[in-house]
């Protein structure tokens, strides 16, 4: 037994040797493992990536299967060409029989993996994410069948491509054309050496011609698919083709450049990045496109402000009559009702978290306006003064605000919202709330398709013919288009919401993305909030003066007043606040110096800092005392803090063994999240103490309530129907648990306002 095992290790079966040979090429092996993992084993589920490979239409699944077969065949063939010589046994037969053996061995292993996945998915009972009834299971297996059918067609095409080259006339022509490269058939090192291998086998030439022709075929497929952009070709199919092209390029460098391939590959990548990085404002915002042409590619000289350049050094704080709504004379800002009575004031703070946070925010707000209105109309939406937050939460809140109708339009009705140009309802949204259903529509496919088909070609076009005034078809713009397609009201200009805000019935939205270079915030709102961005106070030697300690941000309306008034849409503001770079690029503002905009969650993922800062500013005046009967701070968080598992499972032991390496990284990530939460709680406590100690307000004048999603759902821009339902059910339950207390507080504050009047 021991002797047989030793022989097996010393001379493994040919199939195992082929598999080991393929797996040692980490780039090729990794590309195939990633694709198979997303298709069959929920790899990247937290980002919604498996949706790209399954759950599509039958035509899309067929295209995905076909592209996967082409990817696998290309990777197998490249691995064969760069494999050790002992695997190349059957030269000189017109067609490399070892190629067929190689493909057969690896396709057999691949088929075993697929069958095992299908069987485990069919008989798995403990996974609650899978539907319990048989119909959805059959539907999923049906789409998988179309994927396998496409894969079979791809295999047939690959084998036909190889067999097509067995024609003697074709082989003779290929060998005659390739005679001048025959000495280099074992790599460029032989060409550069004094001792050329003139006896290099002629039969190897056609194998490389196959590789070149197959690469050209894939390149043509990618170029044609890029012309259709984001709608016709599924993103997963394009990703497979793109990975196949990258694998072929890597194989070319490995085979022909031998030991120099790593150095030349890295050098070529650096050169490509250098050329494509010529444009300092390559990634940009479409709604600000009129401001980009004035920006020069090199840092401008002193005094170029007259050319229309926006200098951050020239930024000035807004005065009393600035472009925003506040600060103004408070008698211009209406809050009391028609009879002059004070009203409760609500501030909403919503957290980031992709589509999960967007749906959770929209569902909680809908439940609040519904459950607070039970037995009596309390008109919750018209009492919300300001909404701040980050990322996905602000997407859901923006749509909730944009569809809000005026009080005169909704009088006597239980519905506060209306979509002027409603989109088509998704098939899985039947019977659910239309507003939440629109927010839950997926945006991932458009973003992924743009990433695969548009980003690189767009950068090349920009390099070849630079035009800063033209719309850039990158994944950031695709995300904006998806927002508007799913939620048409997000195409509304921000300035259009201003009159409703001044009238006191429409909430003011405040987005607060962060600038990469200096860590400052960029506030986007109809409100004038510059006072929140300047920290000042006393200093030694400057008695009686207010010294500015720091400026922590800018207002977009001050930097670009014309665009903020005429072109800026809610979708663009939401995209700025949700610019997680791997999903949406960190686009550059047309300013001097340039500043890149990223997700608001880097600075404050909960929006509480702005809400507390606004309350602090208002407490410096008498406006709250004169107009407000009570303040409710609503925090909507899409997740709760979960303790790290400390069990004795395999993964727990591995994690503990690696703590010496992972602890610094884990500490940084934990601090980024926890510091925000603790800092926000401290600010809420300080504001609550101020209201409680101020004799002008009662003990219950200021209250706060937090709604946290206790479950788990995808973080990116796709939710399964089961995940969306769990969010809606959790919103109903969570709000319902606090509805009685909220109604009691609301009625108490209204009664106190009536007595005061």
């Amino acid at each position: 037994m021991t002797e047989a095992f030793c022989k097996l290790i010393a001379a493994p079966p040919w199939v195992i040797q082929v598999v080991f040979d393929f797996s040692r090429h980490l780039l090729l092996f990794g590309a195939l493992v990633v694709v198979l993992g997303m298709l069959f084993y929920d790899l990247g589920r937290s980002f919604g990536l498996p949706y790209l490979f399954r759950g599509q239409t039958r035509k899309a699944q067929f295209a995905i299967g076909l592209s996967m077969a082409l990817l696998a065949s290309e990777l197998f063939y490249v691995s064969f060409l760069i494999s050790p010589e002992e695997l190349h046994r059957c030269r000189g037969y017109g067609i490399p029989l070892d190629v067929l053996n190689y493909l057969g061995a690896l396709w057999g292993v691949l088929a075993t993996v697929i069958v095992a996945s299908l069987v485990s998915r069919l008989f798995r009972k403990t996974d609650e994410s899978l539907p319990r009834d048989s119909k959805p299971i059959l539907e999923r297996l049906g789409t998988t069948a179309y994927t396998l059918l496409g894969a079979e067609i791809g295999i047939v095409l690959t084998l036909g491509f190889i067999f097509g080259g067995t024609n003697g006339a074709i082989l003779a022509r290929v060998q005659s054309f390739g005679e001048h490269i025959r000495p280099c058939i074992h790599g460029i090192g032989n060409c550069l050496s004094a001792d050329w291998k003139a006896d290099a086998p002629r039969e190897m030439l056609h194998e490389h011609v196959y590789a070149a022709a197959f690469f050209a075929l894939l390149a043509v497929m990618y170029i044609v698919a890029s012309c259709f952009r984001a709608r016709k070709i599924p993103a997963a199919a394009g990703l497979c083709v793109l990975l196949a092209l990258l694998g072929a390029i890597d194989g070319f460098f490995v085979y022909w450049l031998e030991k120099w391939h790593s150095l030349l590959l890295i050098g070529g990548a650096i050169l490509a990045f250098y050329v494509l990085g010529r444009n300092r404002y390559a990634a940009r915002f479409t709604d600000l496109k009129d401001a980009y042409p004035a920006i020069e590619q090199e840092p401008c000289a002193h005094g170029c402000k007259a050319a229309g350049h926006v200098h951050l050094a020239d930024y000035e704080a807004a005065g009393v009559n600035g472009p925003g709504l506040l600060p103004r004379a408070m008698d211009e800002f209406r809050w009391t009702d028609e009879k002059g009575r004070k009203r409760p004031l609500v501030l909403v703070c919503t957290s980031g978290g992709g589509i999960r946070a967007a749906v959770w925010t929209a569902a909680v707000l809908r439940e609040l306006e519904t459950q607070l209105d039970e037995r009596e109309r309390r008109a919750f939406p018209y009492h919300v003064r300001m909404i701040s937050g980050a990322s996905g939460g602000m997407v859901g809140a923006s749509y909730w605000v944009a569809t809000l109708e005026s009080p005169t339009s909704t009088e006597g009705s239980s519905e506060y919202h209306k979509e002027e140009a409603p989109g088509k309802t998704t098939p899985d949204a039947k019977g659910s709330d239309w507003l939440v259903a629109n927010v839950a529509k997926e945006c991932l496919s458009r973003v992924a398709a743009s990433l695969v088909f548009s980003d690189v070609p767009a950068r090349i076009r920009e390099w070849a013919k630079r035009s800063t005034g033209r719309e850039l078809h990158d994944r950031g713009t695709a995300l904006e288009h998806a927002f508007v397609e799913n939620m048409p009201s997000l195409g509304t200009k921000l300035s259009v919401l201003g009159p409703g805000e001044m009238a006191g019935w429409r909430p003011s939205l405040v987005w607060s993305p962060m600038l990469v270079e200096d860590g400052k915030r960029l506030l986007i709102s109809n409100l004038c909030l510059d006072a929140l961005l300047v920290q000042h106070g006393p200093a030694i030697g400057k008695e009686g003066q207010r010294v500015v300690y720091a400026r922590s941000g800018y207002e977009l309306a001050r930097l670009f007043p014309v665009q903020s008034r005429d072109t800026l849409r809610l979708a663009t503001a939401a995209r700025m606040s949700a610019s997680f770079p791997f999903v949406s690029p960190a686009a550059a503002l047309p300013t001097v110096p340039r500043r890149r905009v990223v997700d608001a969650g880097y600075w404050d993922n909960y929006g509480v800092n702005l809400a507390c800062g606004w309350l602090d500013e208002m407490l410096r005046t008498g406006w709250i005392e004169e107009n407000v009967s009570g303040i409710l701070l609503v925090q909507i968080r899409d997740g709760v803090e979960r303790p790290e598992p400390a069990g004795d499972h395999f993964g727990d032991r591995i994690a503990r063994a690696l703590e010496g390496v992972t602890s610094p990284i884990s500490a940084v990530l934990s601090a980024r999240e926890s510091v925000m939460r603790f800092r926000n709680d401290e600010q809420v406590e300080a504001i609550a103490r101020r209201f409680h100690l101020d004799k002008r307000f009662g003990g219950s004048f200021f209250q706060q309530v937090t709604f946290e999603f206790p479950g788990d759902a995808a973080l990116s821009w796709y939710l399964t129907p089961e995940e969306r339902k769990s969010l809606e059910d959790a919103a109903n339950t969570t709000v319902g648990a606090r509805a009685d207390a909220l109604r009691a507080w609301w009625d108490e504050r209204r009664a106190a306002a009536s007595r005061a009047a």
Side-chain angles (χ1 to χ4, degrees), residues 428-451:
D428 54 0
K430 296 179 181 178
S432 63
D433 182 275
W434 65 267
L435 190 148
V436 178
N438 284 351
V439 175
K441 291 180 180 177
E442 65 91 16
C443 303
L444 183 62
S445 59
R446 290 199 65 163
V447 174
S450 181
L451 173 64

Side-chain angles (χ1 to χ4, degrees), residues 2-13 17 20 86:
T2 305
E3 182 180 356
F5 182 73
C6 293
K7 290 182 178 180
L8 180 64
I9 297 178
Q17 187 177 355
F20 284 168
E86 57 266 19

Side-chain angles (χ1 to χ4, degrees), residues 21-22 24-25 28 73-85 87-88 91 96 98-99 102-103 106 185-187 203-215 247-248 250-252 254-256:
D21 176 64
F22 177 73
R24 75 186 181 90
H25 305 300
L28 307 180
S73 298
E74 175 68 22
L75 297 183
F76 293 166
Y77 197 79
V78 169
S79 177
F80 163 75
L81 290 178
I82 61 179
S83 62
E85 286 298 325
L87 289 179
H88 295 230
R91 302 290 179 195
D98 46 347
V99 172
Y102 200 91
L103 289 174
L106 288 176
I185 204 65
H186 287 290
E203 293 78 9
M204 292 183 65
L205 288 174
H206 69 282
E207 296 176 3
H208 296 279
V209 172
Y210 287 152
F214 202 66
F215 177 84
D250 178 70
F252 173 85
V254 171
Y255 185 88
W256 293 101

Side-chain angles (χ1 to χ4, degrees), residues 739-751:
D740 291 337
L742 287 172
R743 286 193 292 265
W745 176 87
W746 199 281
D747 294 339
E748 175 195 347
R749 301 320 304 171
R750 287 202 306 186

Side-chain angles (χ1 to χ4, degrees), residues 423-490:
K424 294 182 179 179
T425 304
T426 52
D428 54 0
K430 296 179 181 178
S432 63
D433 182 275
W434 65 267
L435 190 148
V436 178
N438 284 351
V439 175
K441 291 180 180 177
E442 65 91 16
C443 303
L444 183 62
S445 59
R446 290 199 65 163
V447 174
S450 181
L451 173 64
V452 173
F453 294 121
S454 299
D455 270 32
V456 174
R459 294 291 184 271
I460 295 176
R461 286 194 298 268
E462 284 295 309
W463 170 78
K465 187 177 181 181
R466 192 167 50 198
S467 177
T468 54
R470 184 175 58 198
E471 180 178 359
L472 182 66
H473 294 282
D474 62 359
R475 61 190 185 280
T477 306
L479 183 60
E480 292 183 39
H481 292 335
F483 284 161
V484 176
E485 181 178 333
N486 296 342
M487 300 164 278
S489 288
L490 290 189

Side-chain angles (χ1 to χ4, degrees), residues 482-699:
F483 284 161
V484 176
E485 181 178 333
N486 296 342
M487 300 164 278
S489 288
L490 290 189
T492 305
K493 294 181 177 62
L494 177 60
S495 58
V496 173
L497 306 185
E501 297 177 42
M502 282 295 299
W505 62 266
R506 191 188 294 276
S508 294
L509 293 162
V510 184
W511 298 270
S512 55
M514 193 191 80
L515 304 179
V516 174
E517 285 75 11
D518 52 18
K520 295 181 178 180
R521 289 182 294 180
L522 179 71
L523 297 191
I524 308 168
S525 179
N526 283 326
L527 296 174
C528 182
L529 301 171
D530 191 80
L532 308 184
L533 301 175
V534 180
Q535 292 72 48
H536 50 73
I540 292 293
K542 298 183 180 292
E543 288 76 6
Q545 301 182 32
R546 302 176 69 185
V547 178
V548 175
Y549 299 150
R551 168 170 288 281
S552 62
Y554 309 96
E555 288 186 293
L556 188 72
R558 291 290 299 172
L559 293 172
F560 307 100
V562 176
Q563 289 79 8
S564 297
R565 183 186 66 247
D566 297 339
T567 60
L568 183 66
R569 300 168 300 158
L570 301 181
T572 301
R575 175 257 176 118
M576 288 182 178
S577 183
S579 292
F580 190 75
F582 298 109
V583 178
S584 177
L589 290 175
T591 59
V592 179
R594 67 191 287 267
R595 290 290 183 264
R596 289 169 292 162
V597 180
V598 292
D599 198 300
Y602 286 104
W603 211 98
D604 182 7
N605 195 46
Y606 302 100
V608 175
N609 178 266
L610 284 173
C612 291
W614 186 83
L615 285 175
D616 183 70
E617 286 296 318
M618 291 300 99
L619 277 171
R620 302 174 191 272
T621 71
W623 185 84
I624 292 180
E625 181 186 7
E626 296 170 1
N627 294 271
V628 179
S629 62
I631 296 177
L632 177 65
L633 178 64
V634 178
Q635 296 191 58
I636 304 176
R637 300 179 180 178
D638 81 311
V640 297
E641 184 180 4
R642 297 178 177 87
E644 184 178 354
D648 202 36
H649 298 293
F650 176 80
D652 298 329
R653 290 192 176 190
I654 297 297
R656 285 195 292 270
L658 296 175
E659 284 180 350
V661 178
T662 61
S663 292
I665 300 175
S666 300
V668 171
L669 297 177
S670 297
R672 174 182 173 269
E673 189 70 19
S674 60
V675 165
M676 295 180 193
R677 186 168 58 252
F678 299 149
R679 180 188 61 201
N680 290 341
D681 291 341
E682 290 173 357
Q683 289 181 294
V684 173
E685 180 192 20
I687 286 293
R689 185 183 299 115
R690 289 188 61 182
F691 278 108
H692 181 72
L693 297 178
D694 197 321
K695 296 181 180 180
R696 297 175 297 173
F697 312 106

